[in-house]
C-alpha cells in the first residue's frame, strides 16, 4: 500500500489565506458537496473540479511538495493567491476522510505539473538563469548608486530643516497644520528616492490629535527620525553593520550576502500588511539546530497576495542567507531540500523580563526597531482592566498585549487555548507591547496561528 504525503491541519491550510474573506469562503468549500473527481498523489499533488456559477467547473490543482513552496493553479478568475477554491480543496484533503483518494492526476493537472518541473530544471541548469545576461555595466550601476545617494542626502538635509522649523515653532503648530504638511514632506522624500524616510514622515502625520500624550509621542518619533537623518549624513563614520542598518531604514535595497545557513526551519508565523501600492508578507522561521530566528519578506502588488506561503507549524530543510545590518534578522530563502511537513519542534522560550531585556538589547543595535521576535514560555493570558497581559506562571511579571492585538478575534482563541493554564506563545515584543502570533498548548499539541 502506498503511503500518502503527510496531511496538514485545517489551521495550517487556513494560514495560507490572503485575507479573512478568502479564509471564510475557502472554509465553505472544504466539504465534498461542490467537488468532483478529486484526487491526490503520494508525492503531495492534490486536484479536483469545483462547481461554480458557470456551466463548467473550476479546475483546481495544488502542488504541496514543490521545493519552492506550495504552488496553485485554478481556472477561476480570482486575483487572490491562493484562491478560495485552492483553500477549499486543501481543507477537503486535510480532512483525511476519503474524499480525496489516491489516484493518477488527470491530463490538465499533469500538464501543469510537467510545465513547472521543466521550468524548475531550466532555472537550475548551467546558464539557465538570466543573471549573467542581466548583470549590466558595473560602472553604470555605481554611477546610479552615487546619484541616488546624492538625492537622499539632499532629502535628508531638507527633512532636518523641516524638523528644526517644527520644533522652533512648537509642537502645537503640527496640530494646526493638519496632515497635508506631512504628506507634502513625505512626497519630497519620495522624490529624493528615500521611501524609508517618506514612510516615517507619514507615520508622524498620524500622531497629532491622536489622543492624550500625543505631543510626547510626536517628540519621540521626531527624535528617532532626526537620529536616522544624522546617521545617513554621517554614515561614513559609522561601523559597517550600523551603516548597513541606516541604509536599509532609509530605503536603499540590499542583498543577502551572508553565508548560507542550512537548517531545518520551523514556520513560526505568517501575516500580511498592505498599503495602496504593496502587500508585504512576513514569515518568521526558527532553526531547530542553530536556534536562530529569521524573517523572510515576500511582496505582492496591491490587491494580490505574495506568492510565497508557508503554513505555520510545518518545518522544512533549506538554506538561508542573511541581509547585512546590525541586529538585522531578515534573510533570503535559498535552496529548499524538503517540502514543509509537520514537525515536533518548539522554539526555546523566555520569561517576560527576559523578553523585555531582549528587546532592549536589540534596540542598541537598531534604534529604529519597533519590535523583536520572542517566544514566551509558561505564560497565562490575564485581563488587566480594559486590557490584557501575558503573565509568567512561575513569577510575578507580565507583558501587556499591544492595542492592535486586543481588537483581533484571535485574542479569544488564545484565551480559550490557555483556559487559565500556562501556554507557549511566539510573537513580537516592542515598545507598544507584545503582539501574539502563534501559541502552543501544554503537552505535545500543534501550533495554533493567532494572526
Amino acid at each position: 500500500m502506498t503511503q500518502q504525503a503527510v496531511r496538514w491541519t485545517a489551521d495550517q491550510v487556513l494560514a495560507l489565506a490572503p485575507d479573512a474573506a478568502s479564509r471564510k469562503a475557502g472554509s465553505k468549500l472544504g466539504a465534498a458537496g461542490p467537488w468532483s473527481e478529486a484526487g491526490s498523489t503520494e508525492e503531495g499533488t492534490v486536484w479536483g473540479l469545483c462547481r461554480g456559477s458557470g456551466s463548467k467547473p473550476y479546475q483546481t490543482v495544488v502542488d504541496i511538495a514543490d521545493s519552492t513552496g506550495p504552488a496553485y493553479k485554478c481556472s477561476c478568475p480570482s486575483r487572490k493567491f491562493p484562491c478560495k477554491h485552492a483553500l477549499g480543496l486543501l481543507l477537503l484533503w486535510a480532512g483525511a476522510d476519503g474524499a480525496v483518494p489516491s489516484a493518477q492526476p488527470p491530463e490538465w493537472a499533469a500538464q501543469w505539473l510537467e510545465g513547472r518541473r521543466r521550468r524548475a530544471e531550466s532555472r537550475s541548469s548551467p546558464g539557465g538563469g538570466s543573471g549573467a545576461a542581466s548583470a549590466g555595466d558595473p560602472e553604470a550601476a555605481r554611477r546610479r548608486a552615487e546619484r541616488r545617494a546624492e538625492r537622499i542626502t539632499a532629502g535628508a538635509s531638507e527633512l532636518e530643516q523641516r524638523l528644526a522649523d517644527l520644533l522652533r515653532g512648537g509642537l502645537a503648530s503640527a496640530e494646526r497644520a493638519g496632515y497635508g504638511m506631512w504628506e507634502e514632506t513625505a512626497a519630497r522624500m519620495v522624490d529624493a528616492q528615500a521611501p524609508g524616510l517618506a514612510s516615517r514622515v507619514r507615520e508622524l502625520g498620524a500622531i497629532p490629535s491622536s489622543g492624550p500624550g500625543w505631543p510626547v509621542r510626536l517628540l519621540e518619533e521626531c527624535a528617532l527620525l532626526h537620529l536616522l537623518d544624522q546617521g545617513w549624513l554621517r554614515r561614513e563614520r559609522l561601523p559597517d553593520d550600523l551603516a548597513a542598518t541606516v541604509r536599509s531604514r532609509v530605503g536603499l535595497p540590499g542583498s543577502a550576502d551572508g553565508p548560507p545557513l542550512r537548517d531545518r526551519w520551523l514556520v513560526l508565523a505568517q501575516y500580511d500588511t498592505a498599503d495602496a501600492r504593496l502587500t508585504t508578507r512576513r514569515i518568521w522561521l526558527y532553526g531547530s539546530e542553530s536556534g536562530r530566528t529569521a524573517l523572510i519578506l515576500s511582496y505582492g502588488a496591491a490587491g494580490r497576495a505574495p506568492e510565497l506561503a508557508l503554513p505555520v507549524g510545518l518545518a522544512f530543510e533549506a538554506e538561508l542567507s542573511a541581509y547585512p545590518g546590525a541586529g538585522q534578522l531578515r534573510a533570503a530563502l535559498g535552496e529548499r531540500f524538503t517540502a514543509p511537513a509537520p514537525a515536533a519542534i518548539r522554539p526555546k522560550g523566555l520569561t517576560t523580563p527576559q523578553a523585555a531585556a531582549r528587546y532592549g538589547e536589540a534596540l542598541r543595535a537598531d534604534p529604529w526597531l519597533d519590535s523583536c521576535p520572542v517566544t514566551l514560555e509558561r505564560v497565562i493570558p490575564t485581563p488587566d482592566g480594559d486590557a490584557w497581559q501575558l503573565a509568567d506562571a512561575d513569577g510575578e511579571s507580565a507583558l501587556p498585549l499591544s492595542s492592535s492585538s486586543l481588537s483581533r478575534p484571535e485574542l479569544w482563541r488564545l484565551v480559550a487555548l490557555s483556559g487559565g493554564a500556562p501556554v507557549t506563545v511566539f510573537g513580537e515584543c516592542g515598545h507598544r507591547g507584545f503582539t501574539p502570533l502563534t501559541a502552543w498548548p501544554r503537552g505535545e499539541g500543534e501550533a495554533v496561528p493567532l494572526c
Side-chain angles (χ1 to χ4, degrees):
M1 178 181 293
T2 58
Q3 184 177 2
Q4 289 289 303
V6 178
R7 296 178 187 267
W8 299 351
T9 66
D11 281 337
Q12 289 163 346
V13 171
L14 293 175
L16 300 172
D19 52 38
S22 298
R23 191 177 298 114
K24 182 177 180 180
S27 297
K28 292 180 179 179
L29 294 175
W35 292 96
S36 61
E37 299 182 28
S40 64
T41 67
E42 61 181 31
E43 293 83 8
T45 302
V46 188
W47 62 88
L49 302 177
C50 186
R51 185 175 64 249
S53 57
S55 58
K56 294 183 62 177
Y58 296 121
Q59 296 176 336
T60 308
V61 57
V62 182
D63 187 4
I64 299 164
D66 191 281
S67 62
T68 61
Y72 319 90
K73 174 67 174 179
C74 185
S75 60
C76 76
S78 175
R79 297 178 63 213
K80 295 183 179 181
F81 191 85
C83 67
K84 63 181 181 181
H85 305 103
L87 291 170
L89 178 61
L90 285 178
L91 287 172
L92 187 68
W93 170 75
D97 57 359
V100 184
S102 177
Q104 291 297 316
E107 183 178 359
W108 57 268
Q111 288 178 348
W112 177 74
L113 290 167
E114 180 59 27
R116 285 185 56 81
R117 301 292 187 265
R118 286 199 302 266
R119 289 191 293 272
E121 291 173 0
S122 175
R123 287 192 298 267
S124 61
S125 63
S130 59
S134 61
D137 182 0
E139 180 60 24
R142 183 188 65 80
R143 290 195 299 268
R144 287 194 299 269
E146 288 180 350
R147 288 195 296 270
R148 181 171 184 180
E150 291 171 358
R151 295 190 187 99
I152 296 175
T153 297
S157 300
E158 179 181 345
L159 183 56
E160 282 292 276
Q161 185 59 53
R162 295 194 177 206
L163 290 174
D165 292 344
L166 171 65
L167 296 178
R168 189 178 299 112
L171 295 181
S173 63
E175 189 174 27
R176 293 192 300 269
Y179 190 76
M181 175 190 73
W182 302 103
E183 186 57 38
E184 191 269 337
T185 303
R188 295 286 295 165
M189 297 303 105
V190 172
D191 293 341
Q193 294 185 284
L197 294 180
S199 176
R200 287 187 170 269
V201 168
R202 291 192 178 97
E203 291 175 359
L204 289 182
I207 297 177
S209 304
S210 61
W214 72 260
V216 175
R217 295 195 297 275
L218 180 60
L219 186 61
E220 290 173 345
E221 294 301 323
C222 284
L224 283 173
L225 186 52
H226 166 70
L227 183 64
L228 183 55
D229 271 346
Q230 291 298 313
W232 172 262
L233 296 173
R234 292 169 170 79
R235 59 192 181 280
E236 293 84 1
R237 308 179 192 177
L238 300 177
D240 290 343
D241 281 349
L242 185 55
T245 298
V246 168
R247 288 193 294 270
S248 174
R249 292 295 182 183
V250 165
L252 281 176
S255 58
D257 55 5
L261 174 62
R262 182 168 177 170
D263 204 337
R264 184 163 177 78
W265 299 95
L266 171 68
V267 184
L268 290 174
Q270 173 181 287
Y271 66 95
D272 295 349
T273 57
D275 56 29
R277 297 176 297 277
L278 196 68
T279 299
T280 302
R281 173 164 293 166
R282 291 170 170 81
I283 303 176
W284 286 108
L285 303 176
Y286 172 78
S288 59
E289 297 181 8
S290 63
R292 177 184 169 186
T293 303
L295 174 64
I296 305 297
L297 296 182
S298 182
Y299 301 97
R304 300 199 60 152
E307 287 195 16
L308 180 62
L310 296 171
V312 173
L314 301 188
F316 61 100
E317 191 171 344
E319 290 181 341
L320 263 59
S321 296
Y323 280 80
Q328 298 300 300
L329 298 177
R330 186 184 173 191
L333 186 57
E335 183 177 358
R336 285 182 252 185
F337 305 98
T338 63
I345 302 173
R346 291 192 184 187
K348 297 179 181 178
L350 303 175
T351 63
T352 56
Q354 290 171 334
R358 174 75 58 84
Y359 177 54
E361 293 170 1
L363 283 176
R364 290 196 304 177
D366 182 357
W368 307 279
L369 189 66
D370 287 330
S371 61
C372 69
V374 169
T375 300
L376 299 176
E377 193 164 9
R378 291 185 55 77
V379 291
I380 303 173
T382 308
D384 181 23
D386 294 333
W388 283 79
Q389 60 186 4
L390 293 177
D392 280 319
D394 304 318
E396 299 179 354
S397 301
L399 280 177
L401 294 184
S402 61
S403 58
S404 61
S405 63
L406 298 178
S407 60
R408 298 205 314 256
E410 288 81 4
L411 168 63
W412 302 111
R413 194 175 193 185
L414 174 60
V415 173
L417 180 70
S418 166
V423 291
T424 299
V425 183
F426 169 78
E428 296 172 347
C429 180
H431 61 93
R432 295 185 180 91
F434 186 89
T435 302
L437 300 176
T438 304
W440 293 263
R442 292 172 296 172
E444 301 298 325
E446 297 174 336
V448 177
L450 301 174
C451 58

